[in-house]
Amino acid sequence: MVRVRLGKMWNIMRSLIVILVVVNVKVLGEESCQKDTKNSNEVEQCDGKDKVVKSNMKMIKIAENVLMPEIGYGTWKVVGDEPIYKVLEAALDAGYRLIDTAVVYSNHRSIAKALKTLLPAHNLNRKDIFITTKIPTVTSVNYPAIEPNLRDCKNGVKKMLAELEMDYIDLLLIHSPPGSEEERKEAWQCLEHFYQTGEAKAIGVSNYQIPHLEEISQFSTVSPHVNQILYNPLVADAQEGLVSYCKEHKIHMTAYTSLGNSSPNRLLNSFPLHNIAKKYNKSTAHILLRWATQQGFSVIPKSLD
């Protein structure tokens, strides 16, 4: 198995076009029914003789009866019916089954419109795909405030479901921590409501730090299933404590900005990383994604192409 080893000296690691990631187990390493000891939630599809049943995507158990693909397609900055249709068509062709979106991305309706055509064209139905979306705080959105948001969470989530033209969301996240303890409590209890009704199959947070997660533990009936965080080799040291906390408390982590986002890109243009990629006959993007997934993260690379 290719195990990418990057010491702290390599901590110099944009978006990714769909064809850079061939979404199957071969990209991520050799096929195996053995769970990664660093990720107790990782699930392989195996038969009774411990042989791999061919599958295009490694799945991660994030909640009871909820399996999430290890690699998803991020749609940040992809706006409009035609661009969304184009990238989702390419993503489904490449094997993606997880689509990551958010209210602030302003593309819920375009995604719904595209999937009406694309799912039957790919012989897929709603249950074959996994939708992650996020509801924003009022203070985190531009003014005039983008709606729906946490000001009216229950009606907001109902509106999100209507925009996506879906009966349920696979993973519903709070996009960032609300400003006050009371607001954070109300927001989490709102998500718990939709988890109990089945309109959210799993619930979680994004950009939450340890104090926010500790706070939830004091009153919640359901712990966050996922924390979606900024994670790549440039910020790994700063996030070390949070990563350890989430692993200890069995909160799955999804990494965003895995490939960096500055221009020029310090990660994709890293000479040491180019050398590692050359050694394993992979792209630099593959190395970066493998670096995250071998630590137990799921990843959501994106593209504007």
Side-chain angles (χ1 to χ4, degrees):
M1 177 180 291
V2 175
R3 307 287 293 180
V4 180
R5 306 185 188 278
L6 299 175
K8 291 184 179 179
M9 65 177 295
W10 303 123
N11 283 357
I12 44 172
M13 298 275 175
R14 163 176 166 246
S15 298
L16 171 71
I17 63 172
V18 172
I19 59 173
L20 282 179
V21 177
V22 180
V23 186
N24 56 39
V25 200
K26 294 179 181 178
V27 168
L28 303 175
E30 74 178 11
E31 297 180 344
S32 170
C33 284
Q34 301 299 317
K35 291 183 179 179
D36 189 330
T37 57
K38 295 182 180 179
N39 179 13
S40 60
N41 290 329
E42 185 174 290
V43 173
E44 290 276 11
Q45 297 179 2
C46 302
D47 64 17
K49 298 179 180 180
D50 286 338
K51 294 180 180 179
V52 171
V53 178
K54 290 184 179 179
S55 172
N56 285 335
M57 178 58 66
K58 191 175 292 183
M59 307 295 286
I60 297 168
K61 183 178 181 180
I62 60 170
E64 191 66 29
N65 300 317
V66 181
L67 297 178
M68 183 176 76
E70 187 176 39
I71 300 180
Y73 181 77
T75 62
W76 181 47
K77 291 187 176 181
V78 188
V79 182
D81 291 352
E82 185 175 348
I84 282 288
Y85 186 94
K86 180 180 177 182
V87 297
L88 291 188
E89 181 178 39
L92 292 173
D93 284 345
Y96 286 92
R97 294 297 179 262
L98 188 163
I99 300 168
D100 181 271
T101 181
V103 170
V104 297
Y105 300 173
S106 300
N107 56 22
H108 278 173
R109 291 186 175 89
S110 294
I111 289 172
K113 183 177 180 179
L115 292 178
K116 276 185 179 179
T117 301
L118 291 172
L119 290 183
H122 288 78
N123 294 315
L124 300 172
N125 57 48
R126 172 64 182 92
K127 292 182 179 180
D128 295 319
I129 61 170
F130 191 102
I131 301 294
T132 297
T133 190
K134 314 169 200 74
I135 185 167
T137 64
V138 177
T139 56
S140 68
V141 297
N142 296 325
Y143 288 93
I146 294 174
E147 294 184 345
N149 58 55
L150 287 170
R151 189 192 303 277
D152 186 357
C153 180
K154 288 185 178 179
N155 285 331
V157 174
K158 289 289 189 180
K159 185 174 180 180
M160 293 164 68
L161 286 163
E163 289 175 348
L164 289 164
E165 299 183 33
M166 294 176 180
D167 296 325
Y168 66 90
I169 295 164
D170 296 280
L171 175 59
L172 176 62
L173 305 177
I174 300 170
H175 206 152
S176 60
S180 73
E181 182 176 349
E182 184 60 29
E183 288 174 312
R184 291 190 293 272
K185 182 177 181 179
E186 289 177 358
W188 186 252
Q189 290 176 333
C190 173
L191 264 63
E192 287 184 323
H193 166 79
F194 286 101
Y195 180 67
Q196 298 297 341
T197 66
E199 292 163 289
K201 301 301 183 183
I203 54 177
V205 294
S206 181
N207 301 305
Y208 271 49
Q209 299 299 314
I210 294 175
H212 304 127
L213 298 171
E214 282 286 322
E215 190 178 84
I216 289 177
S217 71
Q218 301 304 309
F219 63 81
S220 62
T221 59
V222 180
S223 298
H225 299 124
V226 172
N227 188 11
Q228 188 178 118
I229 65 172
L230 171 67
Y231 194 72
N232 60 49
L234 290 173
V235 300
D237 288 348
Q239 297 281 48
E240 184 177 359
L242 177 60
V243 170
S244 296
Y245 179 93
C246 288
K247 287 184 177 181
E248 179 182 350
H249 292 83
K250 302 187 184 304
I251 301 171
H252 175 70
M253 292 166 290
T254 297
Y256 68 82
T257 318
S258 299
L259 310 178
N261 61 3
S262 58
S263 182
N265 191 297
R266 293 172 60 197
L267 297 180
L268 294 183
N269 295 320
S270 164
F271 183 72
L273 280 172
H274 279 294
N275 286 341
I276 294 171
K278 184 177 180 181
K279 177 180 178 179
Y280 292 108
N281 194 31
K282 301 291 184 182
S283 71
T284 303
H286 285 147
I287 297 300
L288 284 164
L289 295 176
R290 180 62 182 143
W291 176 85
T293 59
Q294 74 179 30
Q295 296 178 67
F297 279 77
S298 52
V299 292
I300 46 172
K302 74 178 185 66
S303 169
L304 300 181
D305 298 312

